[in-house]
Amino acid sequence: MTTRTRFAPSPTGYLHIGGARTALFSWAYARKLGGTFILRIEDTDLERSSQESVQAILDGMAWLNLGHDEGPFYQMQRMDRYKVVLQQMLDEGKAYYCYTTPAELEAMREAQRAKGEKPRYDGTWRPEQGKVLPTPPADVKPVVRFKNPAHGVAAWDDMVKGKIVFENSELDDLIIARQDGTPTYNFCVVIDDWDMGITQVIRGDDHVNNTPRQINILKALGATLPQYAHVPMILGSDGERLSKRHGAVSVMQYEEEGFLPEALINYLARLGWSHGDEEIFSVEQLVAWFDLEHISKSAAQFNPEKLRWLNQHYIKLADNQRLAAWVSKHLAKCGVTVGDVPALTDVIALYKERVATLVELANEVAVYYSDVQPAAELLETHLTAEVLPALRELAERFADIAWEAPVVAATIKELLAKHNLKMPKLAMPVRVILVGQTHTPSVDAVITMFPRALVLQRLQRYL
């Protein structure tokens, strides 16, 4: 049987880290087995769903390069199909109309709690052989409930967690259509997975309690059951459920903050899955290695510093032209126009091994295309009377030497010896004057990155 997996987010917010990891695992499993990966948008929550959220999901998937083979399918466009199956189940006695009002249901549950019982629907409107049902009230619109098996178990061999068993007696009759006739989440999911031929449902373990209900509905329909794999949740570094303060933000915010998609993919893959001790691997290696057997049964912890470390690695490997496109766009938003000189790719090559994000890279690069105004305290600290004579002579020598890093480096060394200075004494004020910073790559490389005239202009301001 051809492998068919799906990612089925609800468009009630952005695509966050947990959802992205679920999508990645489902995508990688299908790719590993030469199967089909389906994108399905579960948009039946009309109050909370939005087109903006749909677009955020599509943008996040595209940025991560998690391409789908079929879809996106939208549940709201499949309502006719759901209603056909609902009517079929009513006709076959596998579902029934329930006229218990929300107020009556709440009172029922309160009474059960008072007795120390598990709150649940008491089956008043459940048809049974020989049972006489109450007369339907004319002023109440009914819901539709699934007639869950009263005995036996709903069990499955979870591909991550192992054998899981629920007693059917613990499951009350699930509402599968609301009073207005719209089907509920658990029902729509079942019909979608059935119609789309899903073979493996890979999702977060917050869905474990939904699974026995979905299994029972599938059995009632005579459908083939998919395999289930419930992936443990992601926790923050403090062991609490992942939230915005831990980094559970939109995937696209990571793009805005200067993370590369391959770094986030690599990080998410290792967040609860492993291939031996491998920490860094390409998407191609992930697909070749991926399996569900090596997904951890325990929750993973999100570590922002580990993600930054991976991002730094991938920035070093990235093509300079690709980085330049991002940096140029970011600087434009900040009001900095990148000129032709120095070449942006040359500046990026100089700094890319010193940063962990593209925002940091852009900040380093910006000084080459801006009129730098060094902080007064830096000038006071480094532009001393002791070094001024050497700086003046350096400016004179710069006027007519070959504008190449080796020649500039040799000139600096000559003046250090002549004025009996250590390298930092001369290099620090030059850095401060040119880029407003004391920490840069090799000072000769920084100097020659600028046009000669601009270097002389900035030096003369303070000499």
Side-chain angles (χ1 to χ4, degrees), residues 54-225:
V54 170
Q55 194 59 52
I57 291 167
L58 298 178
D59 290 346
M61 295 287 285
W63 181 64
L64 291 171
N65 295 313
L66 299 180
H68 49 275
D69 304 303
E70 295 180 13
F73 298 107
Y74 297 87
Q75 287 185 329
M76 287 305 297
Q77 296 175 6
R78 289 174 45 78
M79 284 294 144
D80 289 347
R81 167 61 176 159
Y82 304 142
K83 290 176 180 179
V84 166
V85 181
L86 276 170
Q87 189 59 53
Q88 174 190 329
M89 295 182 73
L90 286 166
D91 293 343
E92 294 175 355
K94 296 173 181 176
Y96 60 92
Y97 290 113
C98 171
Y99 293 85
T100 303
T101 66
E104 290 171 339
L105 191 59
E106 184 55 37
M108 185 189 304
R109 288 169 174 166
E110 284 297 325
Q112 291 165 338
R113 290 189 191 100
K115 296 176 184 177
E117 299 173 356
K118 180 179 177 180
R120 54 185 296 152
Y121 173 63
D122 66 2
T124 298
W125 294 93
R126 178 183 170 115
E128 301 285 5
Q129 189 172 4
K131 177 180 177 180
V132 178
L133 295 176
T135 301
D139 59 344
V140 176
K141 287 186 176 181
V143 298
V144 177
R145 287 185 182 270
F146 170 61
K147 192 175 182 182
N148 193 74
H151 307 289
V153 298
W156 73 97
D157 289 313
D158 197 277
M159 299 177 77
V160 172
K161 294 179 172 294
K163 186 76 171 180
I164 298 179
V165 178
F166 282 79
E167 294 288 337
N168 282 326
S169 59
E170 293 295 311
L171 305 173
D172 57 3
D173 290 351
L174 181 72
I175 294 175
I176 57 176
R178 303 176 184 90
Q179 288 178 306
D180 63 2
T182 60
T184 58
Y185 164 79
N186 275 299
F187 183 75
C188 295
V189 167
V190 165
I191 306 309
D192 289 342
D193 287 343
W194 180 29
D195 286 354
M196 295 175 191
I198 302 302
T199 55
Q200 285 81 24
V201 173
I202 302 168
R203 59 189 179 188
D205 63 2
D206 53 332
H207 286 280
V208 165
N209 288 335
N210 291 328
T211 303
R213 303 177 185 279
Q214 294 173 11
I215 285 175
N216 283 341
I217 295 173
L218 284 165
K219 285 182 176 178
L221 293 169
T224 301
L225 299 182

Side-chain angles (χ1 to χ4, degrees), residues 3 17 31 46 68 98 119 181 188 202 217 261 266 408 417 443 458:
T3 298
I17 286 294
R31 290 288 175 269
L46 296 180
H68 49 275
C98 171
C188 295
I202 302 168
I217 295 173
N266 192 158
V408 168
V443 70
R458 290 189 180 179

Side-chain angles (χ1 to χ4, degrees), residues 266 280 308-318 355-356:
N266 192 158
I280 298 175
R308 282 176 57 84
W309 173 77
L310 275 171
N311 201 53
Q312 186 171 33
H313 168 79
Y314 283 104
I315 287 175
K316 290 177 184 178
L317 296 181
V355 300

Side-chain angles (χ1 to χ4, degrees), residues 382-404:
H382 299 288
L383 201 61
T384 63
E386 178 187 13
V387 79
L388 274 173
L391 278 173
R392 292 190 182 103
E393 188 170 350
L394 188 66
E396 292 172 5
R397 298 282 296 275
F398 278 178
D400 56 10
I401 64 172
W403 204 239
E404 301 167 359

